[in-house]
Amino acid sequence: DVVMTQSPLSLPVTLGQPASISCSSSQSLVFSNGNTYLNWFQQRPGQSPRRLIYTVSNRDSGVPDRFSGSGSGTDFTLKISRVEAEDIGVYYCMQGTHWPYTFGQGTKLEIK
Amino acid sequence: EVQLVETGGGLIQPGGSLRLSCVASGFTVSSDNMMWVRQAPGKGLEWVSIIYGGDSAYYVDSVKGRFTISRDRSKNTLYLQMNSLRAEDTAIYYCAKDATGSIDYWGQGTLVTVSS
């Protein structure tokens, strides 16, 4: 199985400041059709996960534009340009290129 | 609007069985690939099982031979039959809709606790 490794696992951030989470995969996530199926999910406390980003950089409907995804091959990044209080939670990357889908360990975003 | 609502969780003794249900609305479960993902208390996410359009199914190694995924087109419902439950199966179980290399919708989850 493809191993997804996130860093950091804990991310204390000041409100209004930027935040960045890295995710690396043990294999290239480029699919045979040229797409890269790397996703980012947000899980707020007590809630189910919610998709923020798919195919590396495409934001879901309703996701604020302060969230952005980038990367290629095996290295990816989720950036929040200015952290707001509602962004508190755990962020997971997930690859959907290789079966089975696998998740990163999660990064807990907390306010300083 | 797509919605997924899971039921069927609870407290069960080791070796027991439970059947989880996930009622879908806003789309047809038989037309999309559907899966179950679980999250042990305080832990990360783990894919458990998927059922494809042709009803072929796959499972994570730890549940093979014990869990069975299925769906009922007439009830627009996804199921997970869980037998021979173990303490390590304790988790919130989420029903999720596959979206070509992604998961676009999640249910609210149902908690399964395996304990004597």
Side-chain angles (χ1 to χ4, degrees):
Chain A
D1 297 358
V2 175
V3 177
M4 304 297 290
T5 303
Q6 289 182 229
S7 65
L9 299 185
S10 177
L11 183 55
V13 183
T14 301
L15 290 176
Q17 294 300 303
S20 180
I21 301 170
S22 297
C23 175
S24 64
S25 58
S26 60
Q27 301 177 35
S28 171
L29 299 186
V30 180
F31 193 63
S32 54
N33 62 7
N35 289 336
T36 299
Y37 295 111
L38 187 283
N39 307 270
W40 289 97
F41 296 91
Q42 175 195 60
Q43 188 174 33
R44 290 171 171 153
Q47 296 187 13
S48 53
R50 162 202 182 197
R51 192 177 68 178
L52 299 175
I53 303 282
Y54 59 96
T55 49
V56 182
S57 59
N58 292 282
R59 257 191 320 273
D60 270 274
S61 174
V63 174
D65 61 8
R66 63 179 181 274
F67 289 93
S68 64
S70 63
S72 63
T74 61
D75 293 292
F76 305 92
T77 303
L78 175 70
K79 291 184 178 177
I80 309 173
S81 58
R82 296 173 306 280
V83 172
E84 298 190 6
E86 66 178 15
D87 300 335
I88 290 172
V90 181
Y91 291 80
Y92 296 93
C93 61
M94 184 200 88
Q95 67 82 21
T97 297
H98 304 280
W99 195 250
Y101 293 174
T102 48
F103 296 89
Q105 316 97 300
T107 294
K108 187 175 184 179
L109 181 72
E110 53 191 13
I111 305 302
K112 278 184 184 174
Chain B
E1 181 191 5
V2 171
Q3 280 197 319
L4 299 168
V5 179
E6 303 96 331
T7 56
L11 175 63
I12 187 75
Q13 291 190 340
S17 297
L18 276 179
R19 188 176 81 158
L20 306 183
S21 300
C22 170
V23 178
S25 57
F27 74 104
T28 305
V29 292
S30 58
S31 62
D32 284 276
N33 301 333
M34 296 293 297
M35 65 180 74
W36 290 94
V37 177
R38 68 184 177 183
Q39 185 171 36
K43 301 297 184 183
L45 300 165
E46 179 187 40
W47 168 83
V48 175
S49 178
I50 189 168
I51 185 166
Y52 286 106
D55 283 347
S56 56
Y58 297 89
Y59 303 90
V60 66
D61 285 348
S62 59
V63 309
K64 280 180 185 174
R66 300 188 298 122
F67 290 11
T68 303
I69 191 172
S70 63
R71 53 191 165 192
D72 185 327
R73 291 164 176 74
S74 66
K75 295 181 179 178
N76 211 29
T77 299
L78 178 74
Y79 300 102
L80 186 67
Q81 177 67 43
M82 304 186 296
N83 299 330
S84 303
L85 282 160
R86 306 167 180 167
E88 54 265 34
D89 295 318
T90 294
I92 297 173
Y93 284 74
Y94 295 103
C95 165
K97 179 175 165 296
D98 183 57
T100 310
S102 186
I103 296 173
D104 55 358
Y105 292 97
W106 299 69
Q108 87 289 349
T110 187
L111 177 63
V112 173
T113 303
V114 184
S115 175
S116 55

